[in-house]
Amino acid sequence: MIGFDVLARNGAARCGRLTTAHGAVDTPVFMPVGTAGTVKAMTSEGVAATGARIVLGNTYHLMLRPGAERIATLGGLHRFMNWPHAILTDSGGFQVMSLAARRTIGEAGVTFRSHLDGSLYELTPERSIAIQHLLAADITMALDECTPYPAPPEAVESSMELSMRWAERSRRAFVERPGHGVFGIVQGGVHPDLRLRSAERVTQIGFDGYAVGGLAIGEGQETTFAVLDATVPALPENRPRYLMGVGKPADLVGAVARGIDMFDCVLPTRSGRTAQAFTRRGVVNLRNARHAGDPAPLDPQCRCPACTGYSRAYLHHLSRAGEILGAMLLTAHNLQYYADLMLAMRGAIEAGTFGDFAADFEGEA
Ligand SMILES: [Zn+2]
């Protein structure tokens, strides 16, 4: 069981606090993605310096290399990656569906071949939960099937029904420990009726938190928001809600306005490795020649190492020269931008001005 207290509300948006075995996490929160036991191009100290107190770990990558049993022997994922704060692990399902070489989905689970060496694995709800236990995740995710988009409604429905049966098995397999919890995942594609049915099913099973999965895979922001409008009101008020794999800054603001508390996305870290920087004035491409002679910081209001110590000209030079430091500095900046955006949203919710904040943000973005 993990704790969750709603501390302030403003419309459907809320501020809360998760209490885990590895400390408290203020929500709404953005979780940096630590795919293979590392938030790419960042030290764990650097991630914590942005204010982050929870990161996401990927079960698929870690089960293949170095292996969940090895990480458990070495004291769990927190110690392995020197991250003393909270960790949420995904179920592995999403990567199995998207990365694994030959995969076969059946009632029992998924069999697949590793994209690394072709060896055969089976991932069932029970095995996914056991792996996440070995990793010592504070928050464990139920195994679900990621329905492709677009897909015919009958296919979305049977996929959702399979995910609900896997959700029950995941819940049963989870071993209760203080400060640790398991989240269920709502599926159902872009169909409000299926989403509603799925939300009712996962709520009936009863989880520590509720995720909305299967979005941000090409359906567009308007559709994402419409699905949230149909889904979120059916989820328990007193439990955290997690929108998986989303997204752009404007997506986060719109989802918080609809009552979402938690997010993860590779966008800030991946963009940091391609010279794209998120700023209060929109996305800046540091490869652009106009930065070559600019002594100004990327964002004078930002407190990250890239903005306090270096010029746009230097960041431009690093990215053109393919220097590793460019990826490191811009990843730190982008994670700081996301952390500060969440901080600003929490402040606006507490002040009762979130409506204005969201309207202003839309105007800027
Ligand atoms: Zn910065």
Side-chain angles (χ1 to χ4, degrees):
M1 185 72 175
I2 56 163
F4 183 67
D5 297 297
V6 177
L7 305 174
R9 288 171 208 276
N10 190 192
R14 68 251 194 101
C15 283
R17 184 164 296 146
L18 289 166
T19 314
T20 77
H22 292 86
V25 178
D26 291 324
T27 66
V29 66
F30 178 81
M31 302 182 282
V33 177
T35 306
T38 156
V39 176
K40 288 187 197 301
M42 298 287 291
T43 62
S44 287
E45 294 89 336
V47 175
T50 67
R53 290 297 176 268
I54 184 167
V55 296
L56 182 144
N58 282 128
T59 286
Y60 174 78
H61 290 282
L62 295 168
M63 72 183 279
L64 299 186
R65 185 173 59 193
E69 279 77 8
R70 169 153 300 160
I71 291 176
T73 305
L74 292 167
L77 186 55
H78 299 80
R79 181 177 295 179
F80 190 54
M81 64 183 284
N82 187 32
W83 176 257
H85 310 293
I87 296 177
L88 177 149
T89 47
D90 67 6
S91 68
F94 183 78
Q95 271 84 18
V96 168
M97 317 291 168
S98 58
L99 286 182
R102 283 165 286 171
R103 56 178 171 70
T104 315
I105 301 170
E107 186 63 35
V110 198
T111 52
F112 63 94
R113 291 196 180 275
S114 157
H115 73 286
L116 297 174
D117 62 7
S119 55
L120 192 66
Y121 287 85
E122 185 180 28
L123 193 65
T124 62
E126 293 76 16
R127 177 64 184 151
S128 172
I129 299 297
I131 291 171
Q132 296 178 73
H133 192 160
L134 287 166
L135 297 174
D138 298 274
I139 300 176
T140 289
M141 298 301 298
L143 183 67
D144 61 344
E145 192 201 358
C146 304
T147 317
Y149 176 84
E154 312 80 57
V156 178
E157 182 173 14
S158 63
S159 166
M160 181 273 278
E161 293 290 351
L162 178 65
S163 287
M164 295 303 99
R165 294 193 294 277
W166 285 2
E168 277 178 32
R169 286 166 56 191
S170 298
R171 184 72 187 85
R172 265 203 304 276
F174 179 75
V175 180
E176 291 286 352
R177 292 151 285 155
H180 296 77
V182 59
F183 283 20
I185 305 173
V186 176
Q187 289 287 350
V190 296
H191 310 284
D193 55 326
L194 296 180
R195 285 282 174 180
L196 193 58
R197 213 197 306 162
S198 179
E200 284 165 358
R201 280 284 292 283
V202 282
T203 305
Q204 230 166 40
I205 297 167
F207 286 92
D208 294 293
Y210 296 87
V212 183
L215 291 176
I217 50 175
E219 76 280 2
Q221 190 196 63
E222 207 176 312
T223 305
T224 307
F225 286 170
V227 168
L228 292 183
D229 288 335
T231 308
V232 175
L235 298 175
E237 181 65 26
N238 61 347
R239 290 280 102 201
R241 303 157 179 164
Y242 164 27
L243 177 56
M244 303 179 79
V246 173
K248 296 191 179 101
D251 300 333
L252 305 193
V253 175
V256 167
R258 289 166 173 81
I260 296 292
D261 307 299
M262 302 168 68
F263 301 90
D264 80 283
C265 188
V266 295
L267 195 59
T269 38
R270 181 175 289 166
S271 301
R273 301 194 300 280
T274 58
Q276 307 285 318
F278 291 91
T279 76
R280 286 159 182 81
R281 293 165 164 270
V283 176
V284 172
N285 180 358
L286 282 152
R287 279 187 195 278
N288 196 308
R290 71 190 165 90
H291 305 297
D294 190 346
L298 174 56
D299 179 349
Q301 286 170 279
C302 178
R303 58 202 160 106
C304 87
C307 294
T308 52
Y310 304 91
S311 64
R312 286 182 175 224
Y314 184 64
L315 297 170
H316 169 82
H317 161 69
L318 292 178
S319 76
R320 282 295 179 100
E323 286 292 337
I324 293 166
L325 183 59
M328 292 165 63
L329 288 171
L330 290 180
T331 302
H333 168 80
N334 284 340
L335 288 180
Q336 189 68 64
Y337 173 86
Y338 269 67
D340 288 349
L341 174 62
M342 305 319 285
L343 191 66
M345 284 200 267
R346 293 199 294 269
I349 294 166
E350 278 165 9
T353 58
F354 187 74
D356 293 340
F357 178 94
D360 287 354
F361 195 87
E362 217 162 276
E364 278 175 34

